Amino acid sequence: TMGVELNAKSVMKSLASLANPEAEAVSRRFFKTGPGQYGEGDRFRGIAGPSYLSYSKDSQPDSVPESNWLQIGRTDTPILRCHGEGQNAFVFKEEGVYLVSFEGGSIPYRVDLLDSTVRLYAPDTVVSVAGRVFALTTQGVVAGTNAGFKILSGPIEQELFQYFGPTLATVKTSAFGVSHETDRQYLLYLPALS
């Protein structure tokens, strides 16, 4: 050996050094780990996940060969949210939004950086309404298609950016968006300011 000792204690120490409390909180809420919930007792460290997507064989959604994967952006940043809309997937990462589009052929998907200025603020705010993807970002509320993103929250910017201050951690883990297709509305729910 080269002096590397692999035991449970050293592995746990290494994992603890990679922990991300914000990601841990999101995972605990998403997987319903509270008392009486289906994931009660499950624990998370919030460690960055992979920066790639896997895809299934054509017309075989349960068959995902190990070779069917796409690298999405930088390898040192995790995927924050992936959202499908039509034949496209919008992949939100720290460095922006990537568009995964269906092309067909031997490599059926194409990955492009769609917008490097859009930085997702709260992952649960990403939803689709009438063919557009909406999200709460560091620029405010944005809406996008495969042609790009546009800021929509200009008229309420002052009120919205109040949430970007001391309540930042709460907003990141508690804010969520809802799609109301009938009225073609994006509804954004934010925690109360104290």
Side-chain angles (χ1 to χ4, degrees):
T1 69
M2 299 184 66
V4 176
E5 182 182 345
L6 282 180
N7 58 38
K9 190 174 183 177
S10 66
V11 170
M12 293 304 286
K13 186 176 179 181
S14 293
L15 290 174
S17 72
L18 299 171
N20 176 336
E22 288 178 9
E24 175 189 0
V26 169
S27 294
R28 279 189 281 117
R29 192 176 90 249
F30 181 80
F31 291 104
K32 309 279 189 231
T33 61
Q37 296 178 319
Y38 71 86
E40 182 177 0
D42 288 354
R43 297 184 305 171
F44 297 90
R45 294 259 187 202
I47 297 171
S51 59
Y52 62 88
L53 291 178
S54 297
Y55 57 93
S56 66
K57 289 182 178 179
D58 188 34
S59 301
Q60 297 179 40
D62 293 334
S63 178
V64 183
E66 287 184 26
S67 61
N68 284 15
W69 61 274
L70 302 166
Q71 176 65 46
I72 309 293
R74 297 186 348 225
T75 58
D76 63 336
T77 60
I79 292 171
L80 303 173
R81 177 69 75 203
C82 182
H83 186 80
E85 176 56 43
Q87 294 242 358
N88 300 314
F90 294 83
V91 182
F92 292 82
K93 294 190 68 174
E94 291 174 8
E95 66 267 25
V97 181
Y98 290 84
L99 178 69
V100 179
S101 50
F102 181 73
E103 298 257 315
S106 62
I107 301 175
Y109 297 97
R110 176 185 168 124
V111 178
D112 294 295
L113 179 60
L114 181 61
D115 193 323
S116 64
T117 65
V118 172
R119 308 296 166 105
L120 186 60
Y121 195 64
D124 290 340
T125 64
V126 180
V127 298
S128 292
V129 181
R132 296 189 301 168
V133 176
F134 291 77
L136 178 61
T137 71
T138 56
Q139 298 175 332
V141 175
V142 299
T145 66
N146 60 351
F149 280 81
K150 179 180 177 184
I151 300 170
L152 300 180
S153 57
I156 61 165
E157 190 170 278
Q158 293 299 320
E159 294 84 4
L160 183 62
F161 285 153
Q162 291 179 49
Y163 289 91
F164 285 49
T167 59
L168 175 67
T170 303
V171 171
K172 283 185 174 183
T173 59
S174 301
F176 63 95
V178 175
S179 168
H180 195 282
E181 284 289 339
T182 305
D183 293 335
R184 297 183 182 270
Q185 291 182 339
Y186 171 68
L187 306 174
L188 176 63
Y189 291 87
L190 298 166
L193 289 171
S194 29

